[in-house]
Amino acid sequence: MTLEEEAEGATKLLAGRVVETIWRRRPGEIVIQFTDGSRLFVDINDASLELSVTNCNGG
Protein backbone atom coordinates (compact mmCIF):
# COMPACT_ATOMS: atom_id res chain seq x y z
CA MET A 1 0.00 0.00 0.00
CA THR A 2 1.36 3.41 -0.93
CA LEU A 3 1.49 6.36 1.43
CA GLU A 4 -1.21 8.06 -0.64
CA GLU A 5 -3.50 5.02 -0.29
CA GLU A 6 -2.89 4.85 3.46
CA ALA A 7 -3.57 8.57 3.81
CA GLU A 8 -6.81 8.25 1.83
CA GLY A 9 -7.97 5.33 4.00
CA ALA A 10 -7.15 7.15 7.24
CA THR A 11 -8.92 10.27 5.98
CA LYS A 12 -12.07 8.25 5.27
CA LEU A 13 -11.93 6.53 8.69
CA LEU A 14 -11.40 9.79 10.58
CA ALA A 15 -13.65 12.15 8.60
CA GLY A 16 -15.80 14.30 10.85
CA ARG A 17 -14.03 13.36 14.08
CA VAL A 18 -12.94 16.05 16.54
CA VAL A 19 -9.37 16.12 17.90
CA GLU A 20 -9.18 15.94 21.68
CA THR A 21 -5.45 15.51 22.37
CA ILE A 22 -2.17 15.21 20.50
CA TRP A 23 0.92 13.84 22.19
CA ARG A 24 4.26 12.20 21.55
CA ARG A 25 4.47 8.76 23.20
CA ARG A 26 8.08 8.22 22.21
CA PRO A 27 10.57 9.64 19.70
CA GLY A 28 9.27 9.09 16.18
CA GLU A 29 5.65 8.50 17.23
CA ILE A 30 2.76 10.94 17.44
CA VAL A 31 -0.68 9.98 18.74
CA ILE A 32 -3.82 11.94 17.94
CA GLN A 33 -6.82 11.08 20.12
CA PHE A 34 -10.33 12.04 19.05
CA THR A 35 -13.32 12.81 21.26
CA ASP A 36 -14.99 9.49 20.34
CA GLY A 37 -11.98 7.51 21.61
CA SER A 38 -10.46 6.84 18.19
CA ARG A 39 -6.70 7.22 17.93
CA LEU A 40 -4.36 7.82 15.03
CA PHE A 41 -0.79 6.62 15.57
CA VAL A 42 1.87 8.02 13.25
CA ASP A 43 5.24 6.22 13.44
CA ILE A 44 8.39 7.30 11.63
CA ASN A 45 10.91 4.47 11.23
CA ASP A 46 14.04 5.31 9.25
CA ALA A 47 12.68 6.35 5.85
CA SER A 48 9.17 4.92 6.33
CA LEU A 49 5.95 6.29 7.77
CA GLU A 50 3.32 4.02 9.32
CA LEU A 51 -0.26 5.05 10.07
CA SER A 52 -2.51 3.09 12.40
CA VAL A 53 -6.09 3.88 13.41
CA THR A 54 -7.73 2.20 16.41
CA ASN A 55 -11.13 2.19 18.11
CA CYS A 56 -13.15 3.93 15.38
CA ASN A 57 -16.71 4.00 16.71
CA GLY A 58 -19.54 4.77 14.33
CA GLY A 59 -19.12 6.52 10.98
Side-chain angles (χ1 to χ4, degrees), residues 14 17-18 29 40:
L14 298 169
R17 295 186 184 345
V18 177
E29 181 182 53
L40 171 63

Side-chain angles (χ1 to χ4, degrees), residues 2-14:
T2 67
L3 179 59
E4 290 80 15
E5 291 168 332
E6 275 200 68
E8 185 177 320
T11 298
K12 287 179 183 177
L13 283 172
L14 298 169

Side-chain angles (χ1 to χ4, degrees), residues 13-51:
L13 283 172
L14 298 169
R17 295 186 184 345
V18 177
V19 174
E20 181 175 284
T21 308
I22 301 173
W23 74 92
R24 175 174 251 154
R25 279 187 6 164
R26 61 181 182 241
E29 181 182 53
I30 294 174
V31 181
I32 303 172
Q33 182 162 333
F34 299 88
T35 56
D36 70 349
S38 301
R39 291 182 180 174
L40 171 63
F41 295 86
V42 182
D43 288 301
I44 301 169
N45 298 309
D46 299 320
S48 68
L49 183 67
E50 183 178 334
L51 303 176

